[in-house]
Amino acid sequence: MYTLTDVSKTYRNGKKEVTALSHVSLTIPDGQMVAIQGPTGGGKSTLLQMLGALDRPTSGSVLLGAEDLAEVSSRRLTELRAREISIVFQGFNLIPTLTAQQNVETALVPLGVKARERAERAAAALDSVGLAERSGHLPAELSGGQQQRVAIARALVRQPKVLLADEPTGNLDEATRDEIVALLEQLWREQGLTLIVVTHDSWVARRAQRQLRIARGTVTDSGVQTPAA
């Protein structure tokens, strides 16, 4: 469970102070699917960085379970990112010289997983996203939707508790968008993930149980609702 209490984040831009988040308080229970929307520059990326243990707030607390991400050591943040939190990006971020299988295996190397187990887990992760037969292909030999499936497999092969998706369908056509969202929903249900999706796409946002909107660093919450069919 995430518990954010009075979280603010400010940056210096020359002599000007910019407020990216302003006194944000919210709770995200384990296993919930949440969408975050808002205008460019409104604070979506900053909020995602807080949830992903990629940045610390200027003030306030960000609890993941019992651990305050604002206070734990940098080493512990690295451990949390390696084991409990995974992120899928809009741009896929695959290594072009590695096959799909090898790209997925890279997520396990920092955990010290041995080669044989890495191969087995990566193959299973690719199978879970419907790409078992494409494991030997390079990213350039895959469609955009297939590349995003590889990126999702890479994120999930570590068996995280939390999956953050930053505009995961932003580079995809409508039909492929629908396929990727359906896949994320399926994996969320099957694996009991906490799934948090940042999106500009209102159709994608309506698929979530809960919608947050952030503008000028302030969050408004729609509450839990029935996802759109």
Side-chain angles (χ1 to χ4, degrees):
M1 175 186 289
Y2 281 105
T3 305
L4 280 67
T5 305
D6 203 27
V7 171
S8 294
K9 181 67 178 181
T10 58
Y11 300 95
R12 298 297 303 183
N13 184 5
K15 295 182 179 180
K16 184 179 180 182
E17 185 173 85
V18 177
T19 299
L21 295 175
S22 179
H23 304 289
V24 173
S25 294
L26 63 93
T27 298
I28 300 175
D30 291 340
Q32 193 168 74
M33 180 178 176
V34 180
I36 302 174
Q37 286 189 287
T40 300
K44 299 188 304 298
S45 294
T46 302
L47 179 57
L48 196 72
Q49 288 170 356
M50 299 296 158
L51 298 173
L54 295 170
D55 199 0
R56 300 178 192 264
T58 304
S59 61
S61 62
V62 181
L63 296 182
L64 177 58
E67 295 189 87
D68 188 350
L69 304 184
E71 299 292 339
V72 298
S73 68
S74 296
R75 181 176 180 177
R76 180 56 181 154
L77 287 180
T78 300
E79 291 174 352
L80 287 169
R81 290 195 299 269
R83 297 181 181 278
E84 296 194 26
I85 305 168
S86 283
I87 305 178
V88 175
F89 297 96
Q90 177 177 346
F92 316 142
N93 292 356
L94 302 179
I95 299 172
T97 56
L98 299 184
T99 65
Q101 170 85 17
Q102 292 167 335
N103 265 285
V104 175
E105 286 188 38
T106 61
L108 297 173
V109 172
L111 301 183
V113 178
K114 293 187 177 180
R116 184 171 182 175
E117 184 182 349
R118 285 203 310 267
E120 291 172 351
R121 287 174 61 175
L126 285 168
D127 185 52
S128 75
V129 300
L131 283 185
E133 296 181 357
R134 298 278 183 166
S135 62
H137 287 63
L138 296 172
E141 299 169 329
L142 301 172
S143 68
Q146 289 170 337
Q147 289 184 59
Q148 190 61 291
R149 286 172 182 264
V150 175
I152 292 169
R154 180 182 58 191
L156 294 180
V157 73
R158 295 181 300 184
Q159 301 172 339
K161 296 178 181 178
V162 178
L163 180 61
L164 306 178
D166 189 5
E167 294 286 356
T169 61
N171 287 340
L172 306 177
D173 61 60
E174 187 173 291
T176 308
R177 173 204 69 179
D178 295 355
E179 292 175 2
I180 292 298
V181 171
L183 174 63
L184 287 171
E185 290 176 334
Q186 175 189 334
L187 294 168
W188 160 61
R189 291 190 178 95
E190 291 178 349
Q191 300 188 20
L193 296 164
T194 301
L195 175 59
I196 301 171
V197 182
V198 169
T199 181
H200 281 98
D201 190 327
S202 294
W203 182 87
V204 174
R206 288 195 297 270
R207 305 287 299 188
Q209 290 178 307
R210 180 180 176 193
Q211 297 172 38
L212 304 177
R213 184 164 183 84
I214 184 166
R216 297 182 179 179
T218 301
V219 173
T220 55
D221 189 347
S222 69
V224 178
Q225 54 193 323
T226 302

